[in-house]
Amino acid sequence: MQLSVWTYEGPPHVGAMRIATAMKGLHYVLHAPQGDTYADLLFTMIERRNHRPPVTYTTFEARDLGKDTAQLFQDAAMDAIERFKPEAIIVGASCTAELIQDDPGGLIEAMDLPCPAIPLELPSYQRKENWGAAETFYQILRHLADKSVSPGPREGRKARANILGPTALGFRHRDDLIEVRKILEQLDVEVNLVAPLNARPSDIARIGNADFNIVLYPEIADEAARWLERTFNQPRIRSIPFGVSATRAFISEVAELVGADPTPALGDTSSRLPWWSRSVDSTYLTGKRVFIFGDATHAVAAARIARDELGFEVCGLGCYNREFARDVREAAKDHGIEPLITDDHLEVEDAIGKAAPEMVLGTQMERHIAKRLGIPCAVISSPVHVQDFPARHSPQMGFEGANVIFDTWVHPLVMGLEEHLLTMFREDFEFSDEAGPSHHAAHAPNTAHKAPVMEEEVIPEPEVTELDSPAWTQEASKELKKIPFFVRGKAKRNTEAFAAEFGRGEIDLDTLYDAKAHYAR
Amino acid sequence: MSVATTLPGCDAPQAQSAAKPVLRERGQREVFCGLTGIVWLHRKMQDAFFLVVGSRTCAHLLQSAAGVMIFAEPRFATAIMEERDLAGMVDAQDELDRVVTRLLERRPDIKTLFLVGSCPSEVIKLDLAKAAERLGAQYMPRVRILNYSGSGIETTFTQGEDACLAALVPVMPAEAEAAPKQLLMVGALPDIVEDQFLRLLGQLGIEHVGVLPARNARDLPPVGPNTRYILAQPFLSDTAMALEGRGATRINALFPFGAEGTSDWLRAIGREFGIDSAHVEAVIAPGRERAARAIEHSKAALQGKRVTFLPDSQLEVPLARFLHTELGMDPVEVGTPYLHASHCADEVALLPETTRISEGQHVDNQLDRVRSDKPDLIVCGLGLANPLEAEGFTTKWAIELVFSPIHGFDQAGDLAELFARPMRRRDRLEV
């Protein structure tokens, strides 16, 4: 048993729901107890969908267990087909139904159904949401793709691509797709099929009609793309267009594959990130230490953008989905740091505390951790809350996505001039720590009614973190308080490490400033 | 205990006037399971921790339902069962010991620990009662360990509170020999509401009042043959049975919603304790008058409007009565996950003859009825609210009625406003 308060991923059947809800004309018959319908809320509330997810739950109760839950399942399947007339259904069990050992796949086979029925094996006690989505998508393709379809020769026609991976409840999937379509249009590439988002089962049949595949989200579509490569001989684009460089690489890779001229797409002038990042106000971003955590794909991409396009230093990198841990390990090696592969939020919190970053890029959970630690934060990956399904166009991919990323990441940080002022006037009552940077959501200027004379406050001794760390003198303690709050944690840690390394018995002013000189970068 | 069988001892024959046909349906239910009760119960009992023994789905549900609370070091968690726990029973009990030990080391402030059963733990017949007993022997007196089931196969939404309180009844102290007649108020209420009721009961002159659940789960009120209990919530059938098993007697009344409901609730207590009715009227007059005045603000938006409740919390029948008798609304269909015939008899009697009362759910059939009824307002869960809005209906999401202070005189206006606001918003928006 794993003790858990927060889980980064739901169970695998929620992944299957994400595929079913993304598609049209597909219905999911889920063998599940009363109460599992809570998952509908994720779609109707967080993503604000205006339809119920196309899921029928058998809703068995305790009194059904002695009887025929199998019959209940078959009745629910028949009802759903009669009522919704889907082109195809997927059938499976939630975690509880897995235990009562009705076999939805077998039960469906015994029925004479008017549409294809795809059985799903989603082991709830070993796997999670992303895996469930990937497996479901792969099974749908395997069952519905018409293997006799092929794109035929290229003469006299545009190249054709499938775009794979966008789902329901995907972080910015809606807008990423718009940006990727824009690029393909500039390269004169035709979109054969987008799946699962808005695809119908009958559309899936002609997936073989494309020359190649573009996988936007490996967590969802990697397995499907590998199968397509084997079955239809469709090559796959390796670049994922997160950030300016990766977008350029993506354009070049597609252009090369289809024999198109990349110039118009590369010459796209909508990319403002490079100039924004070079303008002098961004100088203060140099070397800012960021801690990055999320799904592997978004985390690795964010680390690259952070270092190469914004000039940050990546001081922590991790993901919660073990299936893609290898990508994170490689990237971490490239950044010269230890990877963090865990689905335990307490471990993430500890790692962030230890790294003492100046900024956190993560999920909804890291947003809360950062808030608790008083560190600026931006969201780069699922799981996310309702505010990260915005009304406005907010992609992460393509050149517009890079613009969005620049604004989103820089916004929580103190602006350069403000940081400068904070350092200059740190004793100033209006720039007290409590005031915080003006971009913090929690900013509430509470200095308005204060007398402009600061009371001599009692400085508590800094917490002793380790038993053997030397004690701070009152004077050094007070000096530490003068260091702006967003770098104070690091200064404290560095000073203590320095004192321990050089055998200083206590930390006085000299130790503090010797340490500062020692660690100067 | 299955939710649909009538409870033995609680199936008093209904008064003829209150006997209305009830439409009973089976099929897909769009409801929460009892685990959701933890979200408000853990705020109420400040020394208690709720450990769900379940699957990742259970953890995911709690996190979805608890929203932002999940980040405030909440006093609940899930022991997520993994494959190796399903392999053998002995192993699962050992694992449970390990998890509980780790938890109690981390949180020395916990005085009561609830082991909460879920669908997966019930289906594999993991004996949590035995685990609670074994661990209790180890940790008493520092920590009391109890168990109940919040599983979806056995409980719907607020029935989780019922199961939890019913688990507390056996450990309530016995009242002293020759104890005076005392009152027990049953059901978790927001602190502010509980305090208002205690003040009113004090003004009535009732000296001995206990509350279940107590704010401190180790500080339970006594119970015995001289205890008269009154329900503040309509979903407490198992708790009521357990209290009667210990000799307590129920005071029958309307539930304390609105000016009328709250007055009837207090009058019933007054009668039971032999308090002069003139004094009772004098005590309730100011609050009753304030409530009537506050309700008036919402009347324009609601009077004459047709309302449908979809099943969610068992609050539907009393709330439909409130909207009908105090705001002039016309209840078209009142759906409830479970209708307790005797606890709700007085409420049902006050609904119009034309109201369709339904118990249980076949969600698609029910939505077909909604579409042909075309009510002005639909009270429903969040899984249905936006889809129904997109079809052109006006909705009020039901969960808020469980999470907000709505009982008593001084919340009557807020309660009416909860229903009026979506109607007014609809009229206001021009896009």
Side-chain angles (χ1 to χ4, degrees):
Chain A
M1 291 182 193
Q2 185 197 0
L3 187 62
S4 144
V5 175
W6 161 270
T7 160
Y8 284 99
E9 295 184 75
H13 73 259
V14 169
M17 279 180 77
R18 288 178 55 187
I19 304 295
T21 306
M23 288 179 68
K24 292 187 161 45
L26 180 82
H27 201 82
Y28 186 11
V29 181
L30 180 60
H31 206 14
Q34 164 176 282
D36 280 4
T37 50
Y38 81 88
D40 287 359
L41 272 65
L42 305 172
F43 301 93
T44 60
M45 296 305 294
I46 295 181
E47 203 175 15
R48 282 185 230 257
R49 287 191 171 256
N50 57 6
H51 284 91
R52 284 169 62 205
V55 183
T56 293
Y57 304 78
T58 55
T59 319
F60 55 82
E61 294 171 68
R63 59 185 158 159
D64 300 316
L65 292 179
K67 291 181 283 180
D68 202 357
T69 46
Q71 189 60 52
L72 199 69
F73 177 82
Q74 291 185 317
D75 292 347
M78 280 315 296
D79 281 358
I81 288 170
E82 269 168 40
R83 179 178 284 272
F84 299 106
K85 302 193 169 43
E87 290 179 16
I89 61 171
I90 52 179
V91 301
S94 80
C95 54
T96 306
E98 193 183 322
L99 299 171
I100 60 175
Q101 302 192 328
D102 289 337
D103 166 25
L107 292 170
I108 283 292
E109 239 170 72
M111 299 166 70
D112 182 24
L113 297 179
C115 66
I118 302 160
L120 300 173
E121 289 285 337
L122 305 176
S124 312
Y125 297 92
Q126 305 163 27
R127 300 297 199 158
K128 303 200 213 81
E129 182 182 326
N130 276 318
W131 188 90
E135 171 69 14
T136 302
F137 187 41
Y138 161 68
Q139 291 296 349
I140 288 172
L141 298 196
R142 268 197 50 195
H143 280 81
L144 299 178
D146 180 345
K147 294 202 179 74
S148 68
V149 173
S150 80
R154 266 292 304 275
E155 284 88 68
R157 68 166 175 88
K158 290 183 178 183
R160 287 195 291 260
N162 295 319
I163 301 177
L164 307 178
T167 60
L169 266 189
F171 177 64
R172 309 298 169 87
H173 288 196
R174 176 195 71 190
D175 299 342
D176 284 352
L177 186 57
I178 291 170
E179 293 306 309
V180 170
R181 280 180 176 277
K182 231 190 276 180
I183 291 171
L184 294 181
E185 205 167 313
Q186 286 171 314
L187 293 170
D188 211 23
V189 172
E190 198 176 285
V191 176
N192 176 55
L193 175 70
V194 176
L197 193 62
N198 296 330
R200 305 186 70 84
S202 48
D203 298 332
I204 300 283
R206 45 178 196 82
I207 199 164
N209 197 23
D211 299 298
F212 67 105
N213 289 316
I214 294 168
V215 172
L216 298 189
Y217 311 103
E219 274 85 357
I220 310 289
D222 204 34
E223 194 180 357
R226 284 204 303 269
W227 180 79
L228 290 169
E229 200 156 15
R230 290 197 303 272
T231 312
F232 292 96
N233 224 348
Q234 292 167 333
R236 167 187 170 175
I237 298 297
R238 291 278 150 200
S239 317
I240 304 176
F242 284 117
V244 174
S245 309
T247 298
R248 288 176 184 154
F250 175 83
I251 291 168
S252 308
E253 194 181 344
V254 174
E256 191 174 351
L257 184 76
V258 304
D261 176 11
T263 320
L266 288 172
D268 189 324
T269 53
S270 64
S271 182
R272 297 192 188 91
L273 180 145
W275 168 239
W276 254 244
S277 205
R278 283 172 193 281
S279 73
V280 294
D281 189 67
S282 297
T283 311
Y284 81 105
L285 300 174
T286 315
K288 272 214 183 288
R289 304 168 74 257
V290 291
F291 189 102
I292 301 174
F293 192 85
D295 73 36
T297 301
H298 284 89
V300 169
R304 201 185 44 243
I305 297 168
R307 183 184 61 188
D308 301 343
E309 301 185 15
L310 289 164
F312 291 150
E313 181 197 331
V314 178
C315 68
L317 178 62
C319 74
Y320 55 77
N321 52 331
R322 279 170 205 287
E323 292 88 348
F324 287 78
R326 187 194 305 180
D327 303 357
V328 170
R329 288 201 183 96
E330 273 172 29
K333 197 179 293 175
D334 183 39
H335 289 269
I337 49 177
E338 278 298 307
L340 175 67
I341 315 296
T342 181
D343 60 357
D344 181 348
H345 65 96
L346 293 175
E347 276 186 53
V348 178
E349 185 160 10
D350 288 348
I352 291 175
K354 280 203 184 73
E358 290 158 274
M359 183 176 193
V360 174
L361 301 173
T363 73
Q364 184 66 14
M365 187 71 217
E366 284 66 49
R367 188 202 290 267
H368 286 273
I369 293 172
K371 193 170 169 181
R372 192 158 32 209
L373 298 172
I375 305 171
C377 174
V379 169
I380 56 152
S381 158
S382 290
V384 294
H385 206 42
V386 63
Q387 70 269 39
D388 279 302
F389 286 94
R392 68 185 182 280
H393 184 59
S394 333
Q396 300 283 291
M397 287 186 181
F399 292 132
E400 184 56 27
N403 297 342
V404 169
I405 285 173
F406 182 90
D407 291 345
T408 310
W409 294 8
V410 171
H411 184 87
L413 294 165
V414 190
M415 296 303 287
L417 187 60
E418 194 177 354
E419 180 174 329
H420 177 67
L421 286 171
L422 273 167
T423 314
M424 284 275 286
F425 301 108
R426 62 192 166 213
E427 297 287 296
D428 186 305
F429 72 100
E430 281 179 336
F431 277 126
S432 69
D433 288 2
E434 289 78 35
S438 60
H439 301 278
H440 268 191
H443 175 63
N446 53 0
T447 50
H449 309 295
K450 269 194 198 164
V453 180
M454 292 292 275
E455 291 288 316
E456 187 63 41
E457 54 175 327
V458 179
I459 312 278
E461 286 292 308
E463 274 173 65
V464 177
T465 40
E466 287 156 44
L467 288 174
D468 57 353
S469 70
W472 288 71
T473 63
Q474 184 85 3
E475 205 179 18
S477 226
K478 203 167 167 177
E479 197 74 1
L480 181 71
K481 286 281 281 186
K482 296 177 189 171
I483 294 170
F485 64 93
F486 41 84
V487 288
R488 190 182 308 146
K490 191 167 53 128
K492 177 171 179 289
R493 225 167 30 102
N494 282 351
T495 309
E496 286 172 355
F498 174 84
E501 192 181 338
F502 293 93
R504 306 280 180 110
E506 62 174 14
I507 296 172
D508 55 13
L509 278 182
D510 283 341
T511 314
L512 180 68
Y513 284 115
D514 286 348
K516 185 174 189 250
H518 180 79
Y519 289 105
R521 46 174 185 184
Chain B
M1 172 57 58
S2 162
V3 300
T5 49
T6 308
L7 302 158
C10 284
D11 49 358
Q14 297 174 354
Q16 276 309 304
S17 65
K20 287 192 171 70
V22 173
L23 172 67
R24 288 194 170 79
E25 285 197 297
R26 291 288 321 270
Q28 183 182 319
R29 289 174 155 222
E30 189 81 22
V31 289
F32 282 128
C33 65
L35 294 181
T36 327
I38 292 170
V39 175
W40 67 90
L41 285 170
H42 87 282
R43 303 309 316 161
K44 189 69 203 172
M45 296 184 233
Q46 294 160 4
D47 61 345
F49 193 99
F50 293 78
L51 179 65
V52 176
V53 181
S55 65
R56 182 166 305 279
T57 310
C58 307
H60 198 233
L61 155 81
L62 275 180
Q63 145 180 346
S64 308
V68 190
M69 269 193 221
I70 206 93
F71 307 106
E73 267 291 321
R75 281 173 284 101
F76 61 84
T78 309
I80 298 181
M81 296 197 289
E82 292 154 327
E83 224 187 358
R84 54 201 185 93
D85 299 301
L86 303 174
M89 296 297 299
V90 181
D91 182 8
Q93 294 281 2
D94 290 350
E95 279 292 288
L96 200 54
D97 288 11
R98 184 180 61 80
V99 168
V100 167
T101 303
R102 190 180 150 206
L103 176 68
L104 294 178
E105 276 168 9
R106 268 200 66 213
R107 305 290 300 268
D109 52 321
I110 300 167
K111 299 279 181 292
T112 303
L113 174 65
F114 289 99
L115 300 179
V116 188
S118 66
C119 297
S121 75
E122 301 283 321
V123 166
I124 65 165
K125 303 216 169 4
L126 181 57
D127 193 344
L128 292 182
K130 196 175 84 182
E133 211 172 302
R134 185 186 60 244
L135 287 159
Q138 192 181 331
Y139 286 103
M140 234 3 217
R142 184 167 79 84
V143 188
R144 170 186 279 155
I145 301 184
L146 299 169
N147 98 289
Y148 72 90
S149 171
S151 71
I153 55 179
E154 290 176 321
T155 58
T156 304
F157 195 27
T158 47
Q159 284 178 318
E161 176 176 333
D162 189 25
C164 176
L165 301 193
L168 284 170
V169 173
V171 295
M172 288 165 81
E175 68 187 16
E177 284 293 316
K181 201 177 193 186
Q182 54 151 350
L183 177 67
L184 181 64
M185 193 164 70
V186 186
L189 294 168
D191 291 349
I192 186 168
V193 178
E194 190 178 297
D195 292 341
Q196 288 168 8
F197 282 165
L198 291 172
R199 271 201 301 274
L200 284 164
L201 294 169
Q203 287 166 11
L204 287 177
I206 297 169
E207 284 169 23
H208 306 280
V209 184
V211 178
L212 184 70
R215 289 180 203 190
N216 189 327
R218 291 298 288 278
D219 202 9
L220 294 169
V223 65
N226 293 318
T227 303
R228 302 290 175 270
Y229 73 94
I230 188 156
L231 299 178
Q233 301 280 23
F235 44 74
L236 298 169
S237 50
D238 284 6
T239 308
M241 260 206 323
L243 289 166
E244 302 201 353
R246 295 204 52 187
T249 311
R250 185 171 73 90
I251 300 173
N252 187 49
L254 292 177
F255 290 97
F257 298 117
E260 297 310 318
T262 309
S263 298
D264 188 76
W265 193 76
L266 290 163
R267 284 186 191 125
I269 295 169
R271 274 195 307 275
E272 176 64 39
F273 283 79
I275 292 160
D276 174 58
S277 66
H279 177 61
V280 173
E281 292 308 315
V283 168
I284 66 179
R288 185 186 166 83
E289 198 271 329
R290 276 199 306 272
R293 235 178 328 138
I295 288 169
E296 206 57 35
H297 292 299
S298 301
K299 216 158 189 168
L302 298 176
Q303 195 150 21
K305 297 287 197 297
R306 299 161 72 251
V307 61
T308 281
F309 283 82
L310 300 187
D312 184 61
S313 64
Q314 297 182 52
L315 292 167
E316 297 82 7
V317 168
L319 291 177
R321 184 268 305 159
F322 162 73
L323 291 175
H324 175 63
T325 60
E326 303 192 33
L327 286 147
M329 289 191 90
D330 175 16
V332 181
E333 175 169 349
V334 180
T336 182
Y338 171 64
L339 181 67
H340 193 292
S342 63
H343 291 182
C344 285
D346 295 359
E347 304 277 358
V348 170
L350 290 171
L351 292 174
E353 283 305 311
T354 51
T355 299
R356 185 191 312 127
I357 298 177
S358 62
E359 185 186 33
Q361 192 177 32
H362 181 300
V363 70
D364 288 308
N365 290 352
Q366 195 165 36
L367 289 173
D368 288 345
R369 289 200 298 275
V370 162
R371 287 170 191 130
S372 70
D373 290 338
K374 297 195 175 49
D376 300 299
L377 182 68
I378 303 164
V379 184
C380 63
L382 290 172
L384 299 172
N386 272 336
L388 285 168
E389 291 276 348
E391 288 185 38
F393 290 101
T394 304
T395 63
K396 160 80 210 92
W397 48 287
I399 301 153
E400 201 178 5
L401 300 162
V402 174
F403 290 174
S404 318
I406 59 169
H407 297 69
F409 290 134
D410 291 315
Q411 284 66 238
D414 305 340
L415 176 57
E417 163 67 8
L418 285 177
F419 296 99
R421 193 178 296 143
M423 309 283 282
R424 281 208 314 272
R425 179 170 184 77
R426 163 153 234 182
D427 294 338
R428 175 182 295 200
L429 294 180
E430 291 192 2
V431 287

